[in-house]
Amino acid sequence: MAKIVISGGVPLNGEVWISGAKNAVLPILAATLLADEPMSIGNVPHLHDVTTTMELLGQMGVQLVLDERMKIHVDSRQARHWVAPYDLVKTMRASILVLGPLVAKYGSADVSLPGGCAIGSRPVDQHIRGLQALGAKVSVENGYIRARADRLKGAHIVMDMVTVTGTENILMAATLARGTTVIENAAQEPEVVDLARCLLAMGAQISGIGTSTLVIDGVERLHGAHYEVQPDRIETGTFLVAGAITSGRVLAKRTRSDNMQAVLQKLEECGAEINTGADFIEIDMKGRRPRAVNIDTAPYPAFPTDMQAQFAALNCVAEGVGVITENVFENRFMHIQELQRLGADIRVDGARAIIHGVTEMTGAPIMATDLRASACLVLAGLVAKGDTSVDRVYHIDRGYECIEEKLSGLGARIRRLAN
Ligand code: EPU
């Protein structure tokens, strides 16, 4: 199995290009199922999860061509096989995103239940309840969600909790429903906004975008469109933390700062100088050691759970004590034991990790357990003394494009070993 080996201790210095957002491109690719005409999606990141989604759509009969400029041309007019099988869903939970489009457009969807995953049980009851409210008949049989419907009908839906893909599934389904749908307590994440903008470009009628109440007036059909995926705010944040943890300077280009305020505030609190422009964010630690920060994860616009593990790594070598509280997923501390293997001083108390910064961590073999945990371990490796080898890096390839090339470009000593 491939490993990433990092020889720590180099303050990063330089520029890095940010890729398109993973969690925006996945629902946008699912949304292409709704269109009556070909679509093209630009700024697509080269990631395993994108390949898996292309495979999933391809199995349904959708025609997809990826050109050399990372633009995907999608034609879903031949989609005939409205199934998301277990072998694909188990490798990528986001496969659930085809449920809403399939039932809205074709009146039929058989999507494998995703089951548990490394960061918690992650039920999909809100997706199912929302589609039922829109008039779909939904049952769970043999491990599959089976949804059937004639044309869906608009409804008033109050979500029990804020769910990103739950909101996206219902939003996509509602675009083709007869009448008006209101989704209250909707997720406001920038990736939901990006999906909604893509749906607008396809002719959907949606208001309240970016707020917790989405109002969708169903239309008869959606047409083709070209859409450019927004930059990845979590990849951006991860590279900014890489600058902070190494006391270095990193200029993230082709990105945006308006949807990252909670993360930028925490970086400032840890002593970073932040400079932003229309399409860049620069972090400069001026050689200083970071100060520890407290983090409380919650839905947008609060601090994102997808940046929690990276800040845990930062706190390990920061000055002082930082408390990390994970409020979104019940089991998202798998990276803590691995950080302890590098010499971090961390005590876990339920949903809180209390981290006392140490002046030095030392390299060791460690293992990635999920996508953001693997980013956290690579960050820790950048500062640990000696060599850190991170095993099971397939997790990182799900969500970070060319991570070792990008970090090498900033001066990190990092390489990938085939096994
Ligand atoms: N939840 C339910 N019932 C549901 C849906 C969600 O109880 O029907 C709970 C979950 O168990 C969790 C909370 O609600 O405790 C929030 O989960 P959410 O549904 O928002 O998560 P998600 O949609 O499955 C997306 C991202 C995750 C990100 C979360 C939270 C995608 C493809 N995935 O997951 O991204 O952590 O929102 O922001 O958009 C990642 O990129 O590493 C990643 C895990």
Side-chain angles (χ1 to χ4, degrees):
M1 226 176 274
K3 286 189 177 72
I4 284 182
V5 180
I6 309 135
S7 307
V10 183
L12 298 190
N13 188 3
E15 299 180 358
V16 63
W17 293 95
I18 299 302
S19 302
K22 168 181 90 76
N23 289 346
V25 74
L26 301 182
I28 286 171
L29 284 172
T32 62
L33 283 167
L34 294 162
D36 277 355
E37 292 166 348
M39 298 214 22
S40 60
I41 311 297
N43 199 26
V44 174
H46 184 57
L47 299 172
H48 269 189
D49 276 8
V50 170
T51 315
T52 307
T53 305
M54 290 177 71
E55 196 180 332
L56 176 64
L57 296 177
Q59 284 193 5
M60 292 177 191
V62 176
Q63 288 170 10
L64 301 111
V65 178
L66 177 62
D67 72 20
E68 67 288 350
R69 301 178 62 212
M70 289 314 282
K71 191 195 277 185
I72 300 185
H73 303 267
V74 192
D75 186 345
S76 67
R77 287 175 297 183
Q78 302 298 320
R80 291 288 177 271
H81 184 64
W82 307 308
V83 178
Y86 179 60
D87 58 333
L88 286 178
V89 178
K90 75 177 182 212
T91 64
M92 189 190 68
R93 292 183 54 86
S95 311
I96 188 79
L97 285 164
V98 298
L99 180 63
L102 285 181
V103 75
K105 177 82 187 292
Y106 303 102
S108 176
D110 289 88
V111 177
S112 171
L113 275 172
C117 75
I119 63 177
S121 63
R122 299 177 80 184
V124 290
D125 54 298
Q126 298 301 303
H127 304 236
I128 294 177
R129 206 172 62 83
L131 292 176
Q132 284 171 330
L134 294 174
K137 299 244 175 313
V138 187
S139 58
V140 176
E141 290 164 32
N142 308 110
Y144 275 74
I145 304 167
R146 217 174 115 87
R148 300 288 182 272
D150 297 326
R151 190 167 177 198
L152 296 174
K153 265 179 59 192
H156 195 123
I157 300 165
V158 184
M159 311 292 286
D160 287 346
M161 81 270 301
V162 177
T163 153
V164 174
T165 51
T167 301
E168 291 168 344
N169 244 332
I170 299 165
L171 168 63
M172 289 188 278
T175 57
L176 288 181
R178 181 178 295 119
T180 303
T181 298
V182 179
I183 309 175
E184 280 193 72
N185 200 22
Q188 301 170 58
E189 266 64 8
E191 295 75 18
V192 180
V193 172
D194 218 27
L195 168 66
R197 294 211 172 115
C198 175
L199 292 167
L200 286 183
M202 296 161 69
Q205 304 275 322
I206 307 166
S207 57
I209 295 172
T211 75
S212 61
T213 305
L214 292 170
V215 181
I216 306 111
D217 286 314
V219 294
E220 294 293 323
R221 61 179 289 271
L222 292 173
H223 52 73
H226 171 74
Y227 194 76
E228 288 284 315
V229 176
Q230 70 183 10
D232 196 312
R233 66 190 168 110
I234 306 299
E235 189 198 20
T236 306
T238 303
F239 279 105
L240 296 178
V241 173
I245 200 170
T246 61
S247 305
R249 184 194 73 89
V250 169
L251 176 63
K253 292 173 80 166
R254 235 168 44 189
T255 189
R256 49 194 271 195
S257 57
D258 57 320
N259 57 22
M260 301 199 42
Q261 290 310 310
V263 169
L264 296 182
Q265 273 175 30
K266 285 295 163 186
L267 288 169
E268 278 178 341
E269 222 178 292
C270 84
E273 282 181 22
I274 304 279
N275 178 21
T276 61
D279 63 350
F280 72 87
I281 308 177
E282 183 183 27
I283 183 168
D284 195 346
M285 290 299 287
K286 307 258 180 210
R288 290 186 296 258
R289 181 183 178 194
R291 288 191 295 271
V293 288
N294 296 332
I295 300 285
D296 258 75
T297 67
Y300 189 84
F303 190 93
T305 173
D306 289 346
M307 284 300 300
Q308 176 261 106
Q310 298 88 321
F311 273 76
L314 182 65
N315 274 345
C316 287
V317 291
E319 197 180 326
V321 183
V323 179
I324 308 252
T325 310
E326 173 55 56
N327 299 303
V328 179
F329 292 111
E330 75 269 23
N331 190 25
R332 215 176 192 182
F333 277 151
M334 304 285 278
H335 43 285
I336 298 292
Q337 282 181 3
E338 303 301 302
L339 290 171
Q340 285 166 334
R341 288 177 46 73
L342 301 178
D345 179 354
I346 311 176
R347 186 167 62 80
V348 175
D349 175 16
R352 295 190 320 153
I354 299 116
I355 307 179
H356 289 255
V358 294
T359 47
E360 190 174 274
M361 291 201 287
T362 47
I366 49 179
M367 197 166 74
T369 49
D370 72 72
L371 169 58
R372 306 305 168 188
S374 53
C376 149
L377 300 182
V378 168
L379 291 173
L382 293 173
V383 277
K385 194 166 168 222
D387 281 1
T388 297
S389 67
V390 183
D391 205 348
R392 302 202 177 169
V393 293
Y394 56 84
H395 288 292
I396 213 160
D397 296 332
R398 289 190 42 216
Y400 290 90
E401 183 174 37
C402 309
I403 187 148
E404 65 269 32
E405 284 90 340
K406 288 188 180 186
L407 283 170
S408 296
L410 294 168
R413 290 176 298 191
I414 179 169
R415 63 194 192 281
R416 183 179 289 242
L417 302 181
N419 48 43

